[in-house]
């Protein structure tokens, strides 16, 4: 490395011998090299911490660190559809007939409510999407209470709002559910 010490050491170090001036020049160069190494190391550590911060899981609306696994379609097919279908089929068949069926409704209700929460954290948290996702949470909570109380009438009351939330969302985000004249929103599912 080239030192930034002037060639004429006489001008900046009057009164020192030539040997002392050379030692001073060498020490200055080594010190400058050490300082440069420290600056580079600091910059590399800063870059590394910025990169880690950018790739770390970001807190979700609930304040935790969420890690997504599947696509929005996977969430619908794996969580929303089976839970909603289990509740609606039971209602259409006259409601649960024994304790085992009430437990199944209770489990589907929890899954439906929690899937609504997942949809709120992963989709556009505004407008009809948020409203429909919140309806899933509310319907799931109502179905859960109905299952705990074994209340057929309360369970039957979730039919209309559940169907309305599904139909509203599908008209906006599932192009094949409604014809082109009936579509109200974007032609694709929300980004993930």
């Amino acid at each position: 490395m080239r030192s930034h010490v002037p060639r004429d050491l006489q001008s900046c170090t009057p009164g020192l011998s030539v040997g002392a001036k050379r030692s001073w020049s060498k020490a200055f160069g080594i010190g400058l090299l050490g300082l440069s190494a420290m600056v580079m190391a600091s910059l590399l550590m800063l870059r590394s911490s910025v990169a880690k911060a950018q790739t770390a899981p970001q807190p979700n609306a609930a304040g935790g660190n969420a890690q997504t696994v599947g696509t929005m379609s996977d969430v619908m097919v794996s969580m929303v559809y089976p839970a909603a279908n289990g509740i609606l089929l039971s209602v259409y068949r006259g409601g649960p007939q024994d304790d085992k069926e009430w437990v199944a409704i209770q489990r589907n209700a929890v899954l439906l409510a929690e899937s609504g929460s997942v949809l709120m954290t992963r989709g556009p948290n505004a407008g009809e999407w948020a409203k429909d996702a919140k309806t899933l949470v509310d319907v799931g909570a109502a179905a859960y209470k109905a299952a705990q109380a074994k209340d057929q009438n309360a369970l039957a009351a979730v039919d209309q709002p559940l169907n309305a939330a599904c139909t509203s969302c599908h008209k906006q985000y599932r192009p094949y559910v409604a014809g082109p004249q009936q579509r109200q929103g974007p032609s694709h599912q929300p980004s993930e």
Side-chain angles (χ1 to χ4, degrees):
M1 181 175 154
R2 192 170 172 176
S3 172
H4 293 290
V5 177
R7 289 181 193 254
D8 181 15
L9 293 176
Q10 295 292 352
S11 63
C12 62
T13 55
L16 289 178
S17 69
V18 174
K21 289 178 185 179
R22 284 191 183 130
S23 294
W24 179 84
S25 175
K26 189 175 185 180
F28 181 76
I30 291 172
L32 190 58
L33 180 63
L35 178 63
S36 297
M38 286 180 12
V39 168
M40 288 299 290
S42 297
L43 288 174
L44 288 173
M45 286 189 304
L46 178 64
R47 180 179 172 205
S48 173
S49 64
V50 167
K52 284 180 186 176
Q54 289 174 344
T55 60
Q58 297 300 312
N60 62 17
N65 288 330
Q67 177 182 347
T68 60
V69 176
T71 65
M72 193 66 75
S73 180
D74 292 331
V75 170
M76 293 292 181
V77 171
S78 301
M79 296 174 70
V80 178
Y81 176 75
N85 197 43
I87 292 169
L88 291 174
L89 282 176
S90 179
V91 168
Y92 297 154
R93 292 176 178 158
Q97 303 302 312
D98 57 27
D99 288 344
K100 184 178 175 182
E101 290 180 7
W102 280 112
V103 169
I105 291 296
Q106 192 170 329
R107 289 179 180 156
N108 283 325
V110 170
L111 184 58
L112 185 64
E114 294 299 334
S115 66
S117 295
V118 168
L119 294 176
M120 284 192 280
T121 61
R122 292 185 64 181
N125 204 6
E128 291 298 312
W129 178 271
K131 180 181 155 222
D132 293 336
K134 175 73 168 95
T135 299
L136 293 181
V137 174
D138 295 341
V139 166
Y144 181 79
K145 284 182 183 180
Q148 284 186 315
K150 297 182 182 177
D151 184 343
Q152 295 275 3
N153 292 330
L155 183 61
V158 304
D159 170 42
Q160 191 281 329
L162 180 53
N163 272 313
C166 294
T167 301
S168 170
C169 186
H170 286 190
K171 280 184 180 178
Q172 292 183 34
Y173 298 103
R174 302 296 298 268
Y176 57 85
V177 173
Q181 296 82 10
Q182 295 174 310
R183 291 211 29 253
Q184 300 171 5
S187 63
H188 60 279
Q189 291 184 0
S191 61
E192 302 199 40

